[in-house]
Amino acid sequence: MIGNVPVGGDAPVTVQTMTNTATSDAVATIDQIRRCEDAGVDIIRVSCPDVESTVALKQIVRAARVPIVADIHFHYKRALEAADAGAACLRINPGNIGSAERVNEVVNAAKANGCAIRIGVNAGSLEKDLLEKYGEPCPEALVESALDHIKLLQDRDFHEFKVAVKASDLFLAVAAYQQLADQVDCPLHLGITEAGGFVGGTVKSAIGIGSLLWYGIGDTIRVSLSAEPEEEVRVGFEILKSLGIRNRGVRVVSCPSCARQGFDVIRTVQALEERLQHIRTPMSLSVLGCVVNGPGEARETDIGITGGGAGKHMVYLSGVTDHHIQDEGMIDHIVKLVEAKAAQIEAAGGIAVGAAA
Ligand code: SF4
């Protein structure tokens, strides 16, 4: 458990991100956490590099609606303070904090405060002895590092932990996770670290995290982008939605558009994606520019729009033709239809046509 969120076993795969505000600035950090919560984040990590951060952590933990993971590097005292401040999890590598006595103190603080621990092995910060042994970061080195850290916790009868073996090279990361999954049965936190900017990092993460999830490996994910944390959350959910692992919000089916389009598909989809972010109910919406593929997709989605001639477009509800709309006011009209459908699905406590498809 990370706070009240289960990770591992049959629990849904959770989506995480990490704040990039100064943690000591509690107000700014809470603001950013709110935006991530609105995007659906399950767990949030905040860095605690100094004592000002762990002081602010108390206020942040109280304000957050999701569990907080305190990210600690080297300074074991920050881990003790973070556990005391109410962090639900400590991201710390017990092998990197010095003496056995310090490891004891951190484990005892975690036990006393009901904190989990996340071991976060990273190819960029592998232990010196492993780099010397293997010559370079490789899957075997990442796995050995993870097993060493795990042993330190297990030797102290601590079992509430999850593990990551991240690398920016996705071949390395995927191979390391595969090897680790063969050797341990604790929950695995997936990530392709430092994946890059929004477009490149999204593709890389989708391939790396997506491949592992497809193999059945992974219990919680963090997409690492040089982009705002709420964008990482959205990309994380898109990966889960694409694999049919977890549905949240509107799954949009839309065409790339071409000369046959009856309306501006690209602009319409951009506007709808922006305006429909508040919808949490799993459902589907197809937006296609013409009758070539529009009716077929509309039959499989909860709401479908198919472009027609002379600015007159067909609306399908639950796969059936329902009414026409014009260009004018089209986006407002679709938003209202989606909101109404989401409310209807929620009221029925049922599953949408498209969400099940
Ligand atoms: S659905 Fe119609 S408008 Fe969209 S890409 Fe296909 S042919 Fe072009």
Side-chain angles (χ1 to χ4, degrees), residues 121-123 126-148 165 172 176 179 183:
V121 173
N122 194 309
L126 262 181
E127 291 82 2
K128 247 196 197 154
D129 59 324
L130 290 173
L131 278 178
E132 275 163 22
K133 178 175 171 184
Y134 290 99
E136 60 179 359
C138 60
E140 291 74 17
L142 267 70
V143 170
E144 187 169 330
S145 172
L147 295 177
D148 289 346
V165 279
L172 173 54
Q179 289 187 19
Q183 298 187 52

Side-chain angles (χ1 to χ4, degrees), residues 68-144:
I68 300 292
V69 180
D71 189 87
I72 317 285
H73 286 274
F74 311 116
H75 300 289
Y76 83 106
K77 285 219 160 121
R78 300 294 89 76
L80 305 182
E81 293 156 7
D84 203 39
C89 179
L90 307 173
R91 186 275 189 198
I92 190 166
N93 290 344
N96 295 352
I97 56 176
S99 66
E101 186 46 45
R102 290 180 178 183
V103 179
N104 291 343
E105 280 192 61
V106 170
V107 169
N108 288 342
K111 282 182 180 171
N113 291 281
C115 282
I117 289 180
R118 201 256 286 182
I119 293 167
V121 173
N122 194 309
S125 54
L126 262 181
E127 291 82 2
K128 247 196 197 154
D129 59 324
L130 290 173
L131 278 178
E132 275 163 22
K133 178 175 171 184
Y134 290 99
E136 60 179 359
C138 60
E140 291 74 17
L142 267 70
V143 170
E144 187 169 330

Side-chain angles (χ1 to χ4, degrees), residues 189-206:
H189 166 120
L190 302 186
I192 303 300
T193 196
E194 297 118 26
F198 185 76
V199 175
T202 295
V203 172
K204 212 166 154 185
S205 300

Side-chain angles (χ1 to χ4, degrees), residues 40-80:
V41 76
D42 298 299
I43 297 165
I44 291 204
R45 181 157 47 119
V46 301
S47 289
C48 292
D50 45 36
V51 72
E52 291 76 17
S53 300
T54 47
V55 168
L57 194 63
K58 237 179 214 169
Q59 191 184 341
I60 294 167
V61 167
R62 264 200 309 268
R65 299 186 199 112
V66 294
I68 300 292
V69 180
D71 189 87
I72 317 285
H73 286 274
F74 311 116
H75 300 289
Y76 83 106
K77 285 219 160 121
R78 300 294 89 76
L80 305 182

Side-chain angles (χ1 to χ4, degrees), residues 255-258 260-261 288-290 292-293:
C255 74
S257 79
C258 72
R260 290 194 186 89
Q261 64 182 345
L288 282 92
C290 79
V292 170
N293 291 320

